[in-house]
């Protein structure tokens, strides 16, 4: 009874810290932003942008074409181009509608003294059916829950070895297809090749399910709880799906990209809107989670098969599982 009384407030405090703290501290932190044009013309603008210490990571480009290429390659979220007619703002709402809006406000503040209205060009626009990215943001939690449920069921049913791996792969593949059917075919909230999008959803769910199943196989029910907590209490709020990793306080944004939900969102944006640009990093992150988790499941299955009495590794290591 005393343990419950103490544990519940601790869990509430942990959840509030994980969800509320990043949301309350949302602001640009070394947000990549381009400045294009002649050095003499861009120097004053660059100086004003860097006055907001730690807010923007300014990248210099020779002209508008180079800045557009950088945006399409996901090197920067936007760029201010200084032309003879005045400054122009390039954004990419597909990368983050919240950041695109932030850049418009920031540039407007910088040019307010001159009374100049800065035209905005959305280089890579978000779909008209989901201009604020709400559907993409909402899709993070169901995929995480699908992965957690799959991994937990595999552990609770006592599946091991290749049977466990096949179950995890098959269930998450179906989950990925359903997610693609809803977000791509029905809601049209994501674009790009349907099979590529379905593959991203599958890999995202697979990484979560494999991690939960691997920890559960090694540590029993404690491992399932640990994997679920890692994904729900850290991966979900640290993913940056509603804004961008650079909009979260450090090191939250970086940690979030190392976890499956954050890597999954980044990979989905790259594949869906940017023709695969900057997809290598998040794809490798998800692959590592999937490989390590499934590797643990196969290893535990091999050890179980070699045990003469049929006991599991958890049965023979009570100190680890309680």
């Amino acid at each position: 009874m005393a343990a419950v009384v103490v544990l519940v407030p601790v869990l509430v405090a942990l959840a509030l810290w994980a969800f509320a703290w990043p949301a309350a501290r949302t602001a640009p932190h070394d947000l990549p932003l381009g400045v294009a044009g002649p050095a003499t013309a861009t120097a004053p603008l660059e100086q004003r942008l860097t006055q907001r210490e730690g807010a923007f990571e300014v990248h210099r480009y020779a002209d508008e074409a180079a800045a557009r290429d950088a945006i399409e390659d996901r090197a920067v979220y936007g760029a201010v181009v200084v032309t003879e007619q005045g400054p122009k703002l390039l954004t990419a709402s597909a990368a983050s509608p919240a950041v695109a809006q932030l850049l418009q406000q920031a540039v407007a503040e910088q040019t307010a003294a001159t009374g100049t209205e800065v035209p905005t060009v959305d280089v890579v626009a978000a779909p008209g059916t989901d201009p604020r990215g709400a559907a993409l943001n909402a899709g993070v939690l169901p995929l995480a829950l699908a992965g957690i449920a799959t991994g937990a069921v595999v552990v609770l049913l006592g599946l091991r070895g290749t049977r466990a791996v096949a179950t995890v792969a098959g269930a998450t593949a179906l989950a990925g297809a359903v997610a693609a059917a809803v977000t791509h075919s029905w809601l049209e909230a994501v674009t790009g090749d349907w099979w590529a999008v379905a593959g991203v959803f599958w890999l995202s769910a697979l990484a979560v399910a494999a991690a939960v199943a691997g920890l559960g196989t090694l540590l029993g029910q404690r491992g399932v709880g640990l994997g679920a907590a890692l994904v729900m209490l850290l991966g979900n709020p640290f993913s940056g799906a509603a804004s961008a990793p650079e909009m979260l306080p450090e090191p939250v944004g970086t940690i979030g990209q190392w976890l499956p939900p954050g890597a999954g969102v980044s990979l989905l944006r790259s594949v869906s809107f940017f023709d695969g640009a900057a997809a290598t990093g998040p794809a490798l992150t998800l692959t590592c989670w999937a490989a390590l988790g499934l590797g643990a499941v196969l290893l535990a299955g091999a050890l179980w098969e070699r045990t003469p009495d049929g006991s599991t590794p958890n049965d023979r290591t009570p100190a680890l599982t309680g």
Side-chain angles (χ1 to χ4, degrees):
M1 191 173 170
V4 172
V5 171
V6 173
L7 183 60
V8 170
V10 170
L11 291 176
V12 170
L14 180 60
L16 286 174
W17 168 80
F19 283 87
W21 173 56
R25 296 293 184 268
T26 299
H29 299 88
D30 292 327
L31 184 75
L33 176 64
V35 174
T40 55
T42 59
L45 176 61
E46 184 176 347
Q47 184 179 6
R48 289 195 295 269
L49 289 172
T50 54
Q51 284 177 353
R52 299 179 61 176
E53 186 176 355
F56 297 106
E57 180 184 280
V58 179
H59 298 248
R60 302 173 185 173
Y61 299 101
D63 51 28
E64 181 177 344
R68 284 176 175 267
D69 290 341
I71 292 173
E72 293 172 351
D73 291 339
R74 300 202 71 185
V76 293
Y77 283 92
V80 182
V81 181
V82 180
T83 65
E84 295 179 355
Q85 293 76 26
K88 178 196 297 185
L89 175 62
L90 307 179
T91 63
S93 59
S96 172
V99 170
Q101 183 178 7
L102 169 74
L103 293 180
Q104 293 180 37
Q105 295 173 351
V107 172
E109 291 174 0
Q110 298 300 325
T111 58
T114 62
T116 304
E117 184 177 350
V118 180
T120 301
V121 178
D122 202 346
V123 178
V124 186
T129 52
D130 187 30
R132 298 177 182 175
L136 188 146
N137 181 30
V140 176
L141 181 60
L143 278 178
L145 291 176
I148 292 172
T150 301
V153 168
V154 166
V155 174
L156 294 177
L157 292 180
L159 300 179
R160 299 177 178 85
T162 55
R163 291 181 61 194
V165 171
T167 301
V168 168
T172 52
L174 289 176
V178 170
V182 172
T183 59
H184 190 286
S185 303
W186 177 36
L187 298 178
E188 298 181 349
V190 295
T191 58
D193 181 73
W194 191 95
W195 290 104
V197 170
V200 172
F201 283 130
W202 167 67
L203 186 58
S204 300
L206 177 65
V208 174
V212 173
L215 288 171
T217 302
L218 295 176
L219 304 177
Q221 294 184 4
R222 292 180 181 178
V224 174
L226 176 61
L230 187 66
V231 172
M232 293 303 298
L233 290 181
L234 295 182
N236 193 42
F238 290 6
S239 66
S243 54
E246 294 84 358
M247 294 290 288
L248 301 177
E250 287 296 340
V252 168
T254 301
I255 294 174
Q257 295 305 295
W258 294 342
L259 299 174
V265 170
S266 295
L267 182 59
L268 180 61
R269 290 190 188 278
S270 293
V271 169
S272 179
F273 306 125
F274 293 88
D275 294 327
T280 302
L284 287 176
T285 299
L286 293 174
T287 302
C288 287
W289 278 98
L292 291 174
L294 295 180
V297 171
L298 290 174
L299 177 61
L303 293 175
W304 178 79
E305 290 177 354
R306 293 179 183 178
T307 304
D309 59 357
S311 60
T312 67
N314 289 329
D315 295 333
R316 292 180 283 110
T317 55
L320 294 177
T321 61

